[in-house]
Amino acid sequence: MASTRQKVIKGLDAIFSKFIRMRASDDSGYAECFTCGKTSRWKEGDAGHFMSRGAYSTRWNETNVQFQCKRCNIFQNGQQYLYSVALDGRYGGGTADALYTLSKQTRKFSEGELRAMIEIYKDKVEELREAKGLE
């Protein structure tokens, strides 16, 4: 049986993923894959992580997580090299290295911090829904 903490993490993962995918979409609901450029509906893509979700220090980092098509994220293991090039291109040289370094740091969030992040991302999702007219 899942602990309360595990349930909170699962809830945070769900709302954070929704935010990442909605953030990448245009007003018509389409988003471009961060690594290959394929366009698909925001609901059909993934919130792909550059550094693995196993690294809690970067798991909910908005730079570390971008919209990816399922092909790149699942079937091509995230396309990490292309992901690093795209990160540096969008956010500046050294971004991928900085995320790698950050991912090696141990970070344990309290249950209260996790619940607070859920509320933050619920608000962000609602703002995007209103701004872009997405459902």
Side-chain angles (χ1 to χ4, degrees):
M1 183 192 260
S3 72
T4 303
R5 180 180 173 75
Q6 289 169 324
K7 288 178 185 174
V8 173
I9 289 170
K10 186 174 181 178
L12 177 54
D13 284 343
I15 194 69
F16 183 73
S17 171
K18 190 172 193 176
F19 164 73
I20 293 296
R21 293 176 295 122
M22 288 176 81
R23 174 186 74 175
S25 76
D26 59 21
D27 292 351
S28 65
Y30 285 85
E32 187 176 293
C33 177
F34 194 66
T35 46
C36 78
K38 177 186 173 194
T39 302
S40 58
R41 296 206 44 86
W42 74 267
K43 289 182 178 182
E44 296 167 1
D46 291 342
H49 290 69
F50 172 58
M51 297 312 302
S52 167
R53 286 177 11 138
Y56 279 73
S57 55
T58 52
R59 185 173 183 145
W60 301 290
N61 179 299
E62 293 181 20
T63 303
N64 185 58
V65 187
Q66 303 290 331
F67 182 86
Q68 281 190 300
C69 68
K70 294 198 180 295
R71 180 175 172 261
C72 284
N73 190 41
I74 297 171
F75 301 110
Q76 295 186 333
N77 301 313
Q79 290 280 28
Q80 195 172 41
Y81 174 74
L82 294 177
Y83 206 128
S84 71
V85 171
L87 281 170
D88 286 351
R90 179 173 292 176
Y91 298 105
T95 301
D97 284 340
L99 285 169
Y100 174 79
T101 300
L102 181 60
S103 77
K104 299 304 175 193
Q105 296 177 12
T106 300
R107 178 69 165 95
K108 181 163 179 155
F109 293 91
S110 70
E111 197 171 308
E113 288 174 307
L114 296 169
R115 289 181 188 281
M117 286 192 289
I118 288 173
E119 294 308 313
I120 288 167
Y121 285 105
K122 280 182 180 178
D123 289 345
K124 287 185 175 195
V125 162
E126 189 54 36
E127 288 171 15
L128 287 171
R129 185 184 319 279
E130 290 174 9
K132 296 183 179 193
L134 301 174
E135 283 302 318

